[in-house]
Amino acid sequence: LTVAREIGNRTIEGVALCSLGVTYYFFGDYQKAIDYQQQSLNIMQQIGDRANESKVLDNLGLVYQALAEYKIAVDFYQQGLIISQEIANLSGIGEVSGNLGNTYYCMAKYQEAIECYQQSLIVARKVEKLPKIRSLLGGLGAAYDCLGKYKKAIAFYIESLSVARQLENRFQESITLTLIGRSCLQRFGKLSPSHFIF
């Protein structure tokens, strides 16, 4: 960041600020994360770097989601999604849609979550990003579970299980098998629904 400012490279300055924001996010220092992301956002908007502007908006959405400020998170995600769509950034569309889906899930807006997960899943399948595919299939299963549509939930969980086995991810395989079992019990009225986030 210091060097970028010394040489007057605004793009690198914006990226460095964004990276600092991400680091503070992982430290759990959300206020500093927001401060750095906002500084980065200002630069990206000033220089017209639309792709990085979308990434920073997505990052701000993640921070506000972690703070349980879901409406603010949704606003940032939607701004980022619009930009990604305008510049035809497939990766950005997939990433932001998935994050937006997670936020809607946290808000118990399961139908909206499903729509976002489906949009993100289309992108993940195009780029063959297996871990993301597994996660989104699990998210779809969880959303349908919460809607009481257990047959659909089980179908998505089974797809997610298949991908987890492809990835040889034993931990996720174990979790998904448990969720399939719970959904089967719920379907036949043996268990009340529980909410899960993937």
Side-chain angles (χ1 to χ4, degrees), residues 2-87:
T2 302
V3 171
R5 284 173 172 165
E6 284 174 357
I7 64 175
N9 190 317
R10 298 284 278 162
T11 300
I12 295 174
E13 182 183 357
V15 170
L17 287 163
C18 176
S19 297
L20 279 164
V22 170
T23 304
Y24 278 112
Y25 167 79
F26 285 117
F27 278 141
D29 191 337
Y30 300 128
Q31 192 52 58
K32 279 190 178 178
I34 290 167
D35 290 344
Y36 280 112
Q37 293 296 343
Q38 285 286 5
Q39 290 179 62
S40 177
L41 181 61
N42 291 339
I43 291 171
M44 297 310 177
Q45 289 173 338
Q46 287 167 14
I47 65 176
D49 187 336
R50 301 279 278 162
N52 276 320
E53 182 184 351
S54 177
K55 284 180 187 176
V56 177
L57 288 164
D58 187 39
N59 289 343
L60 281 163
L62 287 169
V63 179
Y64 280 103
Q65 183 179 331
L67 289 167
E69 296 279 356
Y70 300 128
K71 288 183 180 178
I72 299 172
V74 166
D75 183 54
F76 279 117
Y77 287 140
Q78 287 177 337
Q79 289 180 59
L81 185 58
I82 288 166
I83 292 169
S84 289
Q85 289 169 338
E86 285 175 353
I87 64 174

Side-chain angles (χ1 to χ4, degrees), residues 166-193:
Q166 276 182 262
L167 293 166
E168 298 180 358
N169 187 331
R170 299 285 282 166
F171 176 71
Q172 288 299 336
E173 182 180 351
S174 171
I175 289 173
T176 309
L177 284 165
T178 302
L179 293 174
I180 291 168
R182 289 180 68 90
S183 287
C184 287
L185 289 170
Q186 289 166 355
R187 187 180 176 197
F188 296 106
K190 304 293 183 183
L191 192 69
S192 59

Side-chain angles (χ1 to χ4, degrees), residues 58 65 70 73-78 81 95-107 112-113 116-117 119:
D58 187 39
Q65 183 179 331
Y70 300 128
V74 166
D75 183 54
F76 279 117
Y77 287 140
Q78 287 177 337
L81 185 58
E95 196 62 35
V96 180
S97 295
N99 291 335
L100 186 55
N102 290 337
T103 304
Y104 280 133
Y105 183 93
C106 291
M107 296 170 78
E112 289 92 334
C116 291
Y117 288 148
Q119 187 175 7

Side-chain angles (χ1 to χ4, degrees), residues 124-186:
R125 282 183 164 145
K126 279 183 182 175
V127 298
E128 298 180 356
K129 199 172 181 182
L130 285 180
K132 188 74 174 176
I133 291 169
R134 185 213 57 77
S135 176
L136 290 165
L137 289 167
L140 283 161
Y144 278 112
D145 221 331
C146 293
L147 289 171
K149 297 182 179 180
Y150 303 122
K151 191 173 180 180
K152 278 192 173 182
I154 291 164
F156 280 113
Y157 284 146
I158 288 170
E159 276 193 78
S160 181
L161 177 64
S162 175
V163 178
R165 285 174 171 163
Q166 276 182 262
L167 293 166
E168 298 180 358
N169 187 331
R170 299 285 282 166
F171 176 71
Q172 288 299 336
E173 182 180 351
S174 171
I175 289 173
T176 309
L177 284 165
T178 302
L179 293 174
I180 291 168
R182 289 180 68 90
S183 287
C184 287
L185 289 170
Q186 289 166 355

